[in-house]
Amino acid sequence: MATHAGGLTATRPVRVQGLVRGFGERTVLDGLDLEVGAGEFVALLGRSGSGKSTLLRALAGLDGDVTGSGLVDVPENSSVVFQDARLLPWQRVLDNVVLGLRGSAAPERGRAALAEVGLAGRERAWPSELSGGEQQRVALARALVSEPELLLADEPFGALDALTRLRMHDLLRELCARHRPAVLLVTHDVDEAVTLADRVLLLDAGRVAVDLAIDLPAPRSHRQPQFLAYRESLLRALGVDQTEG
Amino acid sequence: MTASVLARPRAAATAPARKPRRRLKPGRPIPFGAALGPFLLLAVWAVGSAAGWLDSRTLSAPWTVVTTASDLVADGRLQDNLAISAQRAGLGLAIGTVIGTVLALIAGLSRWGEAILDGPIQIKRAIPALALVPLLILWLGIGEQMKVTTITLGVLVPVYIHTHNGLRSIDSRYVELGESLRLRRAVFLRRIVLPGALPGFLLGMRFAVVGAWLALVVVEQINSTSGIGYMMELARQYGQTDVIIVGLVLYGLLGLLSDGAVRLAQRRALSWRRTLAD
Ligand SMILES: Nc1ncnc2c1ncn2[C@@H]1O[C@H](COP(=O)(O)OP(=O)(O)OP(=O)(O)O)[C@@H](O)[C@H]1O
Ligand SMILES: [Mg+2]
């Protein structure tokens, strides 16, 4: 089930085999296998506490102090978008975007990235002067300005209101179409997963329990019957009772 | 109570529907409010002197102090002593700030540094600068070296404590961000650690400038032959309260000015912050 339409299976930027992670007595990830193809958009669903963030942090190399084993093969050039925008409050917006860049072309690239997320002209603003959605757009610009092969995002839109979140979906889709990074997006929102992803994974008991390729034509919406079918099967796998919907 | 409010018909269309919400802020600032207290004090002093309630041997009249000050300026004593005092305080402040900051960085960025440095500095903090003066005199004599060293020791401690605390309280999420962006150590220091510790450092500086003037008073009134403290000590021997008051006013002004300078630097450097005070 790992292959899907698109023929991008030749190179696999992300390869995880037998990943084990635990905290104290508790094993959170228990021999997890995962592959993500180049330019593939994968959404990761799972109950709260199922280990989504733990997996993402393992891929990002941010869990140096955690015990575990397994093979993790990810590109050197990968970026992380956190749930909070995590901008440095003492740096202006542009300096935040180019924080990880080197070289004299950095400001130019930063400006271009800001323009891409619709924030041209706000380069000299302080992060505290931006709205929540704008801050998260700056974080997106910061993640994409280095042209990563892999984008790791942990509920990046979780703190935004519904309308802003829809706008961010469009923006993310656009940016991914242009930059073609492989994406692993952690979310608890089934609709978000079905709207954005080429493939939806469901994490349960420390492993990938469901691996579902989403094969839907371009403007995805609730009006498509298959959309609802995907949605329903994922909700069922999550153990959500469908009688109220 | 609610019932009576409900029962009473609305008195007039213009009357507010209910009491305005109670403000938790202290209210609008009074123009020149900061000058009000000192001005009142000055007025009481002037009236007391004019009416003869204050003996001039106890407390000279304000106008006597002013003429004394201009006499001292005219014969150059005031400027000379002030220059020497300012030089001592400035030197001690500069050296103490550098040492305190460097020690805070070492202790804040390495576990070994913290283990080795933090204890001794906490011990030094518990010993007043004055208590060290006898020892420093034995070691360094009564010259400039001893004076500047005493001031340096007084400055170093608050700079260290507050900068170290600032470093320690940098949000670990920013450290994680730095790791995720694979920042080099130098960039991490310049973009995350130093700006993150800046508020703590500047708070330390506010204590440090006050500490520098305090230490100055101490070292200038023992075994000194120059400086404002010496000028005041001499005046005590001759019973010149006017000169003593000129010295006190000078100390006060210097303290206020240097604190104001640090606060200005604070406002400039921390313009990204929005707090209750703004
Ligand atoms: N630093 C930690 N120390 C101890 N236990 C931890 C730590 N981080 C996570 N855990 C535990 O590991 C499990 C998985 O946590 P994780 O954050 O990966 O869940 P999640 O799937 O991201 O949940 P959510 O959807 O609520 O964000 C949880 O039971 C959590 O209590
Ligand atoms: Mg999580």
Side-chain angles (χ1 to χ4, degrees):
Chain A
M1 193 62 238
T3 49
H4 76 292
L8 290 161
T9 49
T11 52
R12 294 225 162 263
V14 178
R15 268 179 52 230
V16 177
Q17 271 165 22
L19 185 68
V20 177
R21 286 288 185 272
F23 299 96
E25 294 287 280
R26 204 169 121 62
T27 306
V28 176
L29 300 179
D30 190 9
L32 178 137
D33 300 324
L34 169 69
E35 290 200 347
V36 181
E40 191 180 25
F41 197 128
V42 174
L44 184 64
L45 287 171
R47 262 187 284 267
S48 180
S50 57
K52 304 184 294 294
S53 299
T54 306
L55 172 59
L56 202 89
R57 295 171 60 80
L59 294 186
L62 292 176
D63 60 348
D65 47 354
V66 175
T67 56
S69 59
L71 172 105
V72 177
D73 188 9
V74 291
E76 175 70 10
N77 183 11
S78 53
S79 292
V80 183
V81 183
F82 300 92
Q83 176 162 13
D84 56 315
R86 209 164 292 195
L87 306 178
L88 298 174
W90 49 77
Q91 300 267 286
R92 294 181 189 272
V93 163
L94 182 61
D95 293 325
N96 264 292
V97 172
V98 301
L99 188 59
L101 290 188
R102 300 186 196 183
S104 55
E108 237 358 273
R109 285 171 66 188
R111 252 181 268 279
L114 274 175
E116 269 193 328
V117 298
L119 286 174
R122 304 300 298 273
E123 290 86 357
R124 303 232 354 115
W126 296 112
S128 62
E129 295 168 348
L130 301 183
S131 74
E134 287 170 337
Q135 293 183 14
Q136 203 52 274
R137 266 145 68 193
V138 175
L140 260 182
R142 178 179 61 197
L144 289 172
V145 75
S146 57
E147 295 288 343
E149 283 174 71
L150 173 65
L151 180 67
L152 299 163
D154 193 352
E155 302 195 29
F157 313 133
L160 304 179
D161 64 278
L163 195 65
T164 312
R165 196 186 296 193
L166 290 180
R167 291 236 188 84
M168 295 295 285
H169 288 170
D170 290 340
L171 178 66
L172 183 61
R173 215 184 345 237
E174 230 173 80
L175 290 172
C176 287
R178 196 170 319 151
H179 298 272
R180 301 299 301 162
V183 181
L184 187 68
L185 172 82
V186 168
T187 175
H188 58 257
D189 181 346
V190 174
D191 285 359
E192 185 168 282
V194 177
T195 309
L196 291 172
D198 302 320
R199 226 169 97 209
V200 179
L201 308 180
L202 198 145
L203 200 60
D204 193 30
R207 287 164 187 258
V208 176
V210 174
D211 187 337
L212 182 67
I214 306 287
D215 192 7
L216 277 179
R220 295 183 180 177
S221 84
H222 282 99
R223 283 187 295 276
Q224 297 167 305
Q226 299 120 293
F227 187 107
L228 295 176
Y230 284 128
R231 182 173 184 268
E232 209 154 304
S233 72
L234 285 169
L235 283 173
R236 204 174 316 118
L238 277 166
V240 178
D241 197 359
Q242 278 291 282
T243 45
E244 18 93 47
Chain B
M1 205 189 111
T2 323
S4 74
V5 171
L6 285 177
R8 197 167 4 155
R10 253 316 110 89
T14 51
R18 57 182 171 149
K19 269 196 270 181
R21 202 165 297 227
R22 183 179 308 163
R23 294 272 146 202
L24 293 174
K25 286 187 173 180
R28 219 173 301 163
I30 301 161
F32 304 106
L36 195 61
F39 190 77
L40 273 177
L41 212 58
L42 196 64
V44 170
W45 179 19
V47 170
S49 299
W53 300 328
L54 288 170
D55 187 346
S56 70
R57 277 167 306 176
T58 315
L59 192 60
S60 309
W63 37 93
T64 320
V65 172
V66 171
T67 47
T68 305
S70 52
D71 288 349
L72 286 172
V73 172
D75 66 12
R77 272 168 66 198
L78 193 73
Q79 300 92 303
D80 292 352
N81 285 316
L82 179 62
I84 287 178
S85 292
Q87 194 190 343
R88 284 174 188 148
L91 207 57
L93 187 65
I95 300 174
T97 304
V98 171
I99 297 179
T101 310
V102 170
L103 291 182
L105 282 176
I106 295 173
L109 295 175
S110 94
R111 293 286 176 195
W112 277 105
E114 182 171 40
I116 292 166
L117 290 175
D118 200 53
I121 296 177
Q122 297 293 345
I123 293 172
K124 163 65 193 73
R125 192 183 132 194
I127 303 173
L130 320 189
L132 280 175
V133 169
L135 195 60
L136 288 177
I137 290 179
L138 280 182
W139 286 352
L140 303 170
I142 56 168
E144 288 305 298
Q145 234 185 344
M146 179 276 289
K147 298 188 176 68
V148 173
T149 306
T150 307
I151 299 172
T152 300
L153 286 174
V155 164
L156 180 159
V157 172
V159 172
Y160 169 87
I161 300 271
H162 292 280
T163 310
H164 184 233
N165 186 40
L167 274 172
R168 285 276 129 163
S169 53
I170 291 177
D171 199 328
S172 65
R173 296 175 315 136
Y174 297 138
V175 181
E176 201 176 79
L177 172 72
E179 286 169 1
S180 86
L181 291 170
R182 285 174 294 277
L183 296 186
R184 284 168 297 156
R185 201 154 178 86
V187 178
F188 174 65
L189 274 179
R190 203 174 65 237
R191 296 300 194 87
I192 296 182
V193 173
L194 294 181
L198 192 59
F201 168 78
L202 286 169
L203 182 63
M205 281 307 287
R206 282 188 66 184
F207 287 99
V209 290
V210 174
W213 294 117
L214 273 175
L216 184 73
V217 177
V218 174
V219 294
E220 284 190 340
Q221 295 195 348
I222 345 170
N223 286 314
S224 194
T225 53
S226 57
I228 306 171
Y230 165 72
M231 186 181 86
M232 289 166 69
E233 184 57 23
L234 209 61
R236 181 189 64 80
Q237 287 170 22
Y238 295 114
Q240 301 164 308
T241 49
D242 47 347
V243 176
I244 295 180
I245 289 174
V246 170
L248 286 177
V249 170
L250 258 182
Y251 275 138
L253 283 178
L254 288 172
L256 279 180
L257 280 179
S258 43
D259 188 53
V262 179
R263 276 164 69 171
L264 192 71
Q266 240 174 351
R267 201 162 323 144
R268 285 275 175 82
L270 305 182
S271 54
W272 52 269
R273 267 209 311 202
R274 280 196 298 184
T275 59
L276 188 68
D278 307 326

